[in-house]
Amino acid sequence: MKLTKQVIQEHNGQLVPVHKKKFDYVAEGVDGLKEVMQKLIDFQIAIPSWALGSGGTRFGRFPSGGEPRKLEEKIEDVGLLHALNQSSGAISLHIPWDIPKDANEIKTLAAMHGLKFDAVNSNTFQDQPTQPISYKFGSLQHVDKGVRRLAIDHNIEVIKHGIDLGSKALTVWLADGSCFPGQLNFRKAFQRTLESLQEIYAALPGDPIASGWKMFVEYKAFEPNFYSMTVGDWGQSYLYASKLGPKAYTLVDLGHHLPNANIEQIVSLLLMENKLAGFHFNDSKYGDDDLTVGSINPYQLFLIFNELVEGMDARGMNHATDLGWMIDASHNVKDPLEDLLQSIEAIMIAYAQALLVNTKELKQAQDSNDVARAQEILQAAYRMDVRPLVAEARMRSGGALAPLQLFRNLKVRDELIKERGKKTVATGL
Ligand code: RM4
Ligand code: MN
Ligand code: MN
């Protein structure tokens, strides 16, 4: 299903009179409106190829129908999201869940939808049907050299797919770790993992600096291992990334922390050290819940963006292109595409609010230990209703003023079910 410009224009035409009033009201109070709008227009969030179908838990999965049956259909779905909001102009592939049969054809199809390829992701947390030896006791950390070899070769293969597609980064997330005390020698597991990662790092294409290729090391506190994870927190990821070299960075997935972790502080320091790769956005109440971004703790999301904007500006970085922005969520009870639209909206709102923080006054408050004032300044930005700014940015770049509303009005899910069937299942978790 493809959305025409005309459909979007008609939709916008109906909403524009009311929207304009709201926009003018908010815009009046915004310093540097032009720059803010441009930053919102430029900001793009990648969609993971494994999050276009319904997610599940170990208790079951309840597909909503019309799920993409192959990579081409996944690209069409992301294309649809991008047509609606003009903010999701990239897709991130998980290999082997989504191996392109013909990279050039897939690239052409993606380009037709205005999409680029974000980081490619390796999978050494599941055994594949033809796999001769198992990842049951880990992959890059495994005591058996043969298993390590398999996992290293897989990652190198994934880099090759990435090169063919025009990706610029490999994301390595490891399930490696242990479930019980005594199972693993932590030090040796770390060393084996480091050596494996070094081999993968060496396979990044060409001169690593000139090619622009990066390696993202994602950490996670627990699950599927429940006693120790070999890349369990930002400290461990940072250790690997530092030892690997300048093209290795730490990737922050919001759901991968222990409860109440101060993620914004982690982000700030990683940025300071130029070791922040980027994000997997989602939200959670307990663990790696992979809920819609901003659905549980939108204030935390804003505080993270506040550190991002402050830290990136301090380093003169380009907000849109210098870090990797991606959603990593799962949709157990909502329509996957509606859920993704909500996540993108939440990210754009938090970003817009962070752009509106009065940094000059905040600095003054901090320098004079005016704690109450500092809080007022942050919350003044957080409590602003920036939705009209985000909607205006969307409209200016050709998207819909109300993407979710249009998605529903057009009965997109019914159309997809008609096209693909009720019982289709997308690859992923
Ligand atoms: C993990 C992690 C990775 C993702 C897999 C599917 O928990 O978030 O980024 O690739 O799930
Ligand atoms: Mn992730
Ligand atoms: Mn996760």
Side-chain angles (χ1 to χ4, degrees):
M1 187 182 173
K2 206 155 185 240
L3 266 188
T4 61
K5 283 205 172 94
Q6 201 194 338
V7 168
I8 292 181
Q9 272 163 11
E10 274 167 26
H11 158 89
N12 286 347
Q14 280 165 10
L15 300 184
V16 100
V18 175
H19 161 73
K20 199 169 174 321
K21 275 191 206 145
K22 289 186 189 166
F23 174 72
D24 289 344
Y25 176 74
V26 184
E28 219 190 296
V30 175
D31 278 346
L33 180 69
K34 208 170 150 226
E35 289 76 29
V36 169
M37 293 308 296
Q38 194 55 50
K39 283 177 183 156
L40 293 178
I41 288 169
D42 292 343
F43 205 73
Q44 298 293 319
I45 304 130
I47 305 293
S49 69
W50 60 101
L52 293 157
S54 296
T57 68
R58 64 185 194 269
F59 299 103
R61 189 172 182 274
F62 306 95
S64 43
E67 292 188 9
R69 294 161 294 183
K70 48 187 180 174
L71 181 53
E72 286 79 356
E73 291 181 349
K74 291 186 174 191
I75 289 174
E76 280 163 24
D77 279 9
V78 180
L80 200 82
L81 294 176
H82 191 46
L84 286 166
N85 61 28
Q86 293 297 325
S87 308
S88 29
I91 180 166
S92 178
L93 300 193
H94 223 305
I95 311 286
W97 287 335
D98 289 296
I99 300 184
K101 275 187 208 88
D102 182 327
N104 281 332
E105 269 177 32
I106 287 293
K107 259 171 95 170
T108 311
L109 179 68
M112 274 163 55
H113 291 278
L115 306 177
K116 292 191 179 129
F117 287 90
D118 202 69
V120 274
N121 303 262
S122 57
N123 177 343
T124 60
F125 45 88
Q126 289 175 322
D127 286 346
Q128 301 308 318
T130 52
Q131 196 172 309
I133 31 182
S134 173
Y135 293 138
K136 179 171 178 183
F137 298 108
S139 59
L140 297 184
Q141 71 165 20
H142 205 283
V143 287
D144 179 348
K145 210 168 175 229
V147 178
R148 298 205 296 277
R149 182 77 263 146
L150 192 73
I152 294 167
D153 288 346
H154 165 68
N155 274 277
I156 295 174
E157 193 64 40
V158 174
I159 294 175
K160 287 192 184 133
H161 285 299
I163 296 170
D164 292 345
L165 293 167
S167 295
K168 285 283 177 201
L170 167 74
T171 298
V172 182
W173 173 70
L174 298 177
D176 293 34
S178 66
C179 267
F180 296 97
Q183 184 186 332
L184 204 64
N185 179 309
F186 297 139
R187 195 164 33 81
K188 289 184 182 164
F190 182 95
Q191 288 301 343
R192 288 192 296 264
T193 305
L194 177 62
E195 278 166 29
S196 305
L197 287 171
Q198 277 163 339
E199 271 201 55
I200 300 165
Y201 185 87
L204 294 176
D207 164 47
I209 305 286
S211 74
W213 263 78
K214 297 177 181 173
M215 183 176 185
F216 297 167
V217 183
E218 181 177 358
Y219 59 89
K220 181 171 179 175
F222 66 92
E223 195 206 17
N225 273 296
F226 292 104
Y227 173 61
S228 74
M229 290 288 275
T230 299
V231 196
D233 60 19
W234 75 282
Q236 292 169 58
S237 168
Y238 177 77
L239 259 188
Y240 290 111
S242 306
K243 287 173 189 284
L244 284 167
K247 289 311 238 178
Y249 297 83
T250 293
L251 186 118
V252 178
D253 181 314
L254 296 187
H256 288 190
H257 302 86
L258 294 174
N260 303 324
N262 188 335
I263 304 174
E264 54 271 28
Q265 189 180 15
I266 296 172
V267 167
S268 161
L269 298 188
L270 283 173
L271 250 180
M272 177 181 79
E273 291 300 300
N274 193 22
K275 276 294 180 192
L276 181 65
F279 279 83
H280 281 182
F281 290 111
N282 48 51
D283 211 344
S284 63
K285 186 143 179 77
Y286 301 107
D288 192 22
D289 308 345
D290 279 335
L291 299 175
T292 321
V293 184
S295 61
I296 303 286
N297 196 347
Y299 190 46
Q300 181 189 50
L301 185 67
F302 160 75
L303 293 174
I304 290 169
F305 265 101
N306 178 48
E307 293 304 332
L308 281 168
V309 167
E310 198 270 341
M312 291 185 89
D313 287 349
R315 299 188 66 92
M317 292 166 78
N318 180 318
H319 296 180
T321 52
D322 285 351
L323 293 180
W325 310 111
M326 204 188 86
I327 292 172
D328 190 2
S330 181
H331 330 285
N332 300 351
V333 295
K334 286 192 225 163
D335 180 304
L337 295 176
E338 292 195 356
D339 203 359
L340 287 162
L341 287 172
Q342 289 183 318
S343 277
I344 292 158
E345 174 85 4
I347 293 168
M348 295 307 291
I349 289 173
Y351 177 45
Q353 289 168 330
L355 290 172
L356 300 188
V357 171
N358 189 333
T359 41
K360 225 168 108 199
E361 281 189 22
L362 182 62
K363 189 178 176 301
Q364 280 166 7
Q366 289 170 344
D367 290 346
S368 56
N369 295 312
D370 192 343
V371 186
R373 180 83 192 111
Q375 179 185 324
E376 290 295 304
I377 293 163
L378 277 191
Q379 294 192 343
Y382 174 65
R383 288 178 174 147
M384 255 183 91
D385 186 357
V386 296
R387 288 174 299 176
L389 300 183
V390 172
E392 176 75 17
R394 230 175 2 238
M395 182 169 67
R396 286 190 196 174
S397 33
L401 277 173
L404 188 56
Q405 191 183 318
L406 181 54
F407 181 91
R408 288 199 167 187
N409 288 350
L410 295 172
K411 298 196 184 331
V412 173
R413 183 54 59 187
D414 292 346
E415 285 302 314
L416 292 176
I417 291 174
K418 259 190 239 155
E419 224 175 280
R420 301 169 180 170
K422 183 82 193 142
K423 288 228 155 78
T424 58
V425 177
T427 49
L429 271 188

